[in-house]
Amino acid sequence: MLWVGIRYCGGCNPQIDRTGLVEKLKEETKKRLLDVAFTTDRDRVTDITLFVNGCTHGCLEEEFLRTGNQRPYLSVKGETVGDNYIAEKDIPAFLVQEMIRQLPLFD
Amino acid sequence: MGMMTGKEYIESLRALNHEVYFMGKKIKNVIDEPMFQPHIHAAAMIYQLAHKPEYEEVMTATSHLTGEKINRFTHIHQSIDDLVKKVRMMRLLGQKTGTCFQRCVGLDGLCAVYVTTYDMDQKHGTNYHERFKKWLVEVQKHDWMPSGAMTDARGDRSLRPSQQKNKDAYLHIKERTEEGIIVSGVKAHITGAINSHEILTMPTRTMGEGDKDYALSFAVPSNTKGVTFVFSRQTNDTRRLDSPLDAGNPKYGIVGGEAVILFKDVFVPWERVFMAGEYDFTTELVETFAGYHRSNYGGCKVGLADIVIGGSGWIAEAHGIGTASHIIDKLTEMIAMSETCWSCTLACSYEGYKTPSGAYHIHPLLANVVKLNITRMTYEWMRLAQDIAGGKIITLPSEKDLDNPESGSLVEACFTGKEGYPTRDIIKMLRLIENMSVGAGLPEAMHGAGSPAAQKIMIARRGGIDKKVELAKTVAGIKEDKLFEEIVGKKEQNHWKEVKNHIDGKKVQIY
């Protein structure tokens, strides 16, 4: 079982549907029979953190990097993931690929 | 070679020997010509301030390419802090010159081309980004000022570039060779063009597949064979030939000093070509440039507002009405508006983001809001400046009449003010307010970096109206409000049913 910690930004002026995206990500992992669980419980130890930022500014990632945290993470910032422009509809599939790439155990 | 001083910048232009025309005459050297000197002084301020310890923090940066200290006007923003410092620098320069200092167009061009060439290479496997970086290192090393040449003449705007009867209405590729490209066409209204070392061209609009030859970006030195500049007119421009007092802002001029740039069969080597046919990236380049450039206006124009507010306060004092409540009210209005624009530009910088190229970009929605506010509020604070200054700003006699031994003292006596305010100082300040509030500066605030309609297109596109509709539907009760149901602990319709029963059962305490 791989645990993914979900963090949402404040969503003041989102360019994407943040919660809808996470729902689709959950469906995508289910469809691909991946042994993965999602949590928003901040006290739970997770394998990877997924930042769901509504816009390209990505305040969650900014805060995370400022603390010098080295733990693995993926960051959705509007219609970008990391350094890639990804259309909103394609983000869930892209995230799954990225998880597989970053965490070999996941495959 | 390091960062130039103001004086070194001016001398560097002497060596250009580029082809410039004004009022039907060929200009031998722009730096010796009083018509151009104020614009050159305004740009020189950028170079000068970079050497002042008290301004070094905002005026300089460390090149991410060479590690060298460079003028921030040649820097690619590497952080949110860089974006914020850029607009602080814009306000500072507005405060020091009271006019447009011109170099921001080239800076925004550098950043926009940097971002776009990276993305273009990722998709098309081209090597524009590396080429561009090589040229950028030269710009930084020599502290060159490139003009940002985006706007084409555009001809019949209902037709696409490739459909124009006059092909030169848009800058375009005429021929591709192994060594480079040959281009022709016109770029219009280019700020600071005649006092820039280089020209950085960009497409002016989204291009379609049929417009491939118009999807074009390159850099050439201003003295390249086939490049001609025709300097444009501004309101009251020849007053600077009459007297410094009449000119209003004789040191730094009025607006930026725009020019038409004519390209006739200009050869551009491939190493200086940054887009040649990739029409699918023209939107990104135009929008990235526009975003950067529109964010600036909440910096530079607010710096200008600082001058005109200060000038209005001073003139009210000189007229003996400095403590009148309506004057204080107007000055306060002016400050509130200018600081609103400042807040917007800070916000669009602080809400910026890292692009795949590594360069940081401003928040595009907020940047367009900055500029749209400027197209309105500048007119309003300048209107209030005119209101405070009085009708004198359009009726003052010339300096020659003040100097006339027969009538000068009588004329000067007409314009005395409060004790301690020399008449000529009062006239100087009134002329400055006239220069800033009556002339070309206003339409520049309207159309520079794009007209209001262009900002509204971007705002509409990025404003997320569909998401706002959903929010409104939820609050109005048209759409299920899960949070409300969690608060009341039941379905919304059940809640309202219970409320109705409560009222019908006369259980409401106020009945």
Side-chain angles (χ1 to χ4, degrees):
Chain A
M1 170 73 76
L2 184 122
W3 280 92
V4 178
I6 307 281
R7 300 279 181 275
Y8 292 102
C9 73
C12 52
N13 205 355
Q15 293 154 4
I16 55 169
D17 175 5
R18 295 168 312 137
T19 50
L21 184 139
V22 170
E23 287 310 312
K24 285 182 187 130
L25 175 62
K26 286 176 180 172
E27 285 167 22
E28 184 75 18
T29 53
K30 216 172 183 178
K31 203 167 71 186
R32 296 176 64 153
L33 306 173
L34 297 170
D35 191 14
V36 61
F38 295 90
T39 180
T40 51
D41 181 355
R42 289 177 184 235
D43 293 330
R44 172 149 207 131
V45 176
T46 55
D47 300 294
I48 190 165
T49 306
L50 174 63
F51 297 127
V52 187
N53 299 281
C55 78
T56 47
H57 176 65
C59 48
L60 289 168
E61 184 182 328
E62 188 182 45
E63 192 186 337
F64 182 80
L65 294 175
R66 203 184 297 132
T67 61
N69 202 321
Q70 300 290 315
R71 290 185 55 74
Y73 73 94
L74 284 168
S75 185
V76 176
K77 296 173 287 185
E79 287 193 307
T80 62
V81 182
D83 285 344
N84 304 282
Y85 298 116
I86 311 287
E88 184 173 4
K89 66 176 175 50
D90 300 327
I91 292 175
F94 185 84
L95 287 173
V96 169
Q97 286 305 322
E98 280 298 294
M99 285 176 186
I100 292 169
R101 198 176 62 80
Q102 286 198 22
L103 299 167
L105 282 175
F106 186 69
D107 202 5
Chain B
M1 192 172 169
M3 294 186 301
M4 284 190 269
T5 63
K7 208 167 177 187
E8 286 167 344
Y9 158 69
I10 293 172
E11 281 309 309
S12 72
L13 297 175
R14 191 182 291 283
L16 268 183
N17 197 24
H18 49 336
E19 198 157 320
V20 179
Y21 290 85
F22 182 56
M23 305 277 275
K25 300 271 167 58
K26 187 170 179 179
I27 307 298
K28 282 184 190 153
N29 205 313
V30 295
I31 69 168
D32 296 324
E33 172 56 54
M35 281 303 295
F36 309 138
Q37 282 170 338
H39 304 296
I40 295 170
H41 295 155
M45 183 64 80
I46 294 167
Y47 288 89
Q48 195 61 22
L49 289 184
H51 293 271
K52 297 285 172 193
E54 62 269 40
Y55 303 121
E56 189 183 8
E57 191 61 29
V58 294
M59 291 301 306
T60 66
T62 301
S63 168
H64 72 295
L65 298 174
T66 64
E68 297 289 321
K69 184 177 172 183
I70 54 172
N71 193 300
R72 189 174 290 282
F73 275 89
T74 64
H75 182 53
I76 305 298
H77 315 299
Q78 296 297 301
S79 63
I80 295 287
D81 188 51
D82 277 345
L83 294 173
V84 174
K85 281 181 178 153
K86 181 196 74 167
V87 291
R88 293 194 192 286
M89 172 172 77
M90 299 295 166
R91 185 168 184 172
L92 169 68
L93 282 155
Q95 291 170 339
K96 294 294 184 194
T97 61
T99 188
C100 169
F101 34 87
Q102 311 140 45
R103 205 179 177 188
C104 67
V105 200
L107 164 62
D108 297 328
L110 294 178
C111 291
V113 175
Y114 187 92
V115 168
T116 310
T117 51
Y118 179 88
D119 291 340
M120 213 161 26
D121 288 356
Q122 296 300 304
K123 184 178 175 191
H124 293 303
T126 44
N127 69 335
Y128 292 123
H129 192 62
E130 284 309 309
R131 283 182 197 170
F132 181 75
K133 282 201 291 188
K134 277 185 191 156
W135 177 71
L136 177 61
V137 166
E138 294 301 306
V139 170
Q140 293 181 340
K141 194 166 82 181
H142 297 284
D143 205 2
W144 285 334
M145 171 170 161
S147 59
M150 175 169 270
T151 310
D152 293 272
R154 290 176 288 172
D156 180 346
R157 296 183 196 185
S158 69
L159 300 175
R160 301 200 64 81
S162 53
Q163 296 167 332
Q164 298 288 332
K165 193 174 170 190
N166 171 18
K167 293 290 171 206
D168 288 338
Y170 285 81
L171 184 62
H172 61 282
I173 301 171
K174 278 183 85 175
E175 196 182 331
R176 288 173 165 82
T177 70
E178 277 193 16
E179 290 77 30
I181 53 174
I182 294 165
V183 302
S184 281
V186 177
K187 290 288 185 184
H189 331 299
I190 306 306
T191 298
I194 65 157
N195 48 298
S196 293
H197 307 94
E198 295 261 327
I199 308 165
L200 173 60
T201 73
M202 293 164 278
T204 197
R205 52 169 288 174
T206 295
M207 302 291 176
E209 197 171 355
D211 306 316
K212 271 187 178 175
D213 288 341
Y214 301 81
L216 178 62
S217 175
F218 62 83
V220 287
S222 296
N223 55 7
T224 300
K225 192 181 168 205
V227 174
T228 306
F229 300 86
V230 181
F231 193 70
S232 308
R233 297 223 58 176
Q234 297 177 338
T235 41
N236 300 336
D237 52 3
T238 47
R239 278 204 204 167
R240 65 191 65 154
L241 304 180
D242 298 333
S243 82
L245 187 64
D246 292 359
N249 186 353
K251 286 182 286 186
Y252 305 114
I254 179 169
V255 203
E258 279 69 31
V260 172
I261 310 180
L262 309 166
F263 295 80
K264 188 162 174 50
D265 298 329
V266 175
F267 171 70
V268 188
W270 282 116
E271 62 265 27
R272 280 172 162 267
V273 177
F274 314 127
M275 174 186 275
E278 291 76 9
Y279 66 92
D280 50 337
F281 278 88
T282 49
T283 304
E284 178 179 328
L285 183 47
V286 171
E287 290 195 356
T288 307
F289 173 83
Y292 280 128
H293 204 44
R294 287 170 192 169
S295 76
N296 295 350
Y297 276 65
C300 63
K301 297 297 176 204
V302 171
L304 267 61
D306 291 330
I307 300 287
V308 89
I309 293 166
S312 302
W314 188 92
I315 209 71
E317 279 295 327
H319 285 164
I321 54 170
T323 55
S325 61
H326 72 96
I327 295 292
I328 293 166
D329 182 69
K330 284 164 192 161
L331 291 171
T332 308
E333 281 289 329
M334 293 165 86
I335 292 166
M337 283 186 286
S338 65
E339 298 300 341
T340 299
C341 291
W342 178 239
S343 306
C344 288
T345 198
L346 284 178
C348 82
S349 306
Y350 278 115
E351 291 285 293
Y353 65 97
K354 189 181 178 183
T355 66
S357 69
Y360 274 69
H361 192 37
I362 47 69
H363 190 291
L365 170 65
L366 300 186
N368 279 278
V369 172
V370 172
K371 178 66 210 321
L372 189 62
N373 278 340
I374 287 291
T375 66
R376 297 162 174 171
M377 291 189 184
T378 303
Y379 282 80
E380 185 58 14
W381 67 61
M382 291 303 186
R383 184 185 71 81
L384 290 168
Q386 292 175 3
D387 185 351
I388 293 169
K392 279 198 271 187
I393 55 169
I394 53 160
T395 61
L396 285 170
S398 70
E399 187 171 19
K400 282 177 186 155
D401 289 308
L402 295 174
D403 291 339
N404 180 350
E406 287 171 28
S407 59
S409 57
L410 289 171
V411 172
E412 201 161 330
C414 290
F415 297 104
T416 53
K418 199 172 159 180
E419 186 75 30
Y421 289 85
T423 306
R424 289 216 179 204
D425 283 355
I426 292 175
I427 295 174
K428 265 186 195 170
M429 192 63 84
L430 289 167
R431 284 291 185 207
L432 176 64
I433 294 171
E434 179 200 19
N435 174 292
M436 295 181 75
S437 71
V438 178
L442 287 172
E444 199 280 332
M446 172 78 80
H447 296 292
S451 309
Q455 283 111 60
K456 286 189 178 174
I457 289 168
M458 295 278 278
I459 291 168
R461 202 182 288 164
R462 294 170 181 269
I465 187 76
D466 51 339
K467 292 186 174 64
K468 296 182 200 305
V469 167
E470 293 306 309
L471 292 172
K473 278 163 68 181
T474 308
V475 174
I478 296 167
K479 191 183 162 189
E480 185 184 24
D481 189 343
K482 284 182 184 163
L483 290 171
F484 179 77
E485 290 176 351
E486 284 173 20
I487 291 167
V488 296
K490 59 196 70 143
K491 288 297 221 186
E492 193 171 342
Q493 59 195 55
N494 294 340
H495 169 77
W496 293 120
K497 214 178 275 174
E498 284 179 23
V499 169
K500 190 172 182 304
N501 290 340
H502 198 78
I503 295 166
D504 291 347
K506 309 248 183 256
K507 290 177 189 162
V508 179
Q509 293 173 42
I510 60 162
Y511 285 164

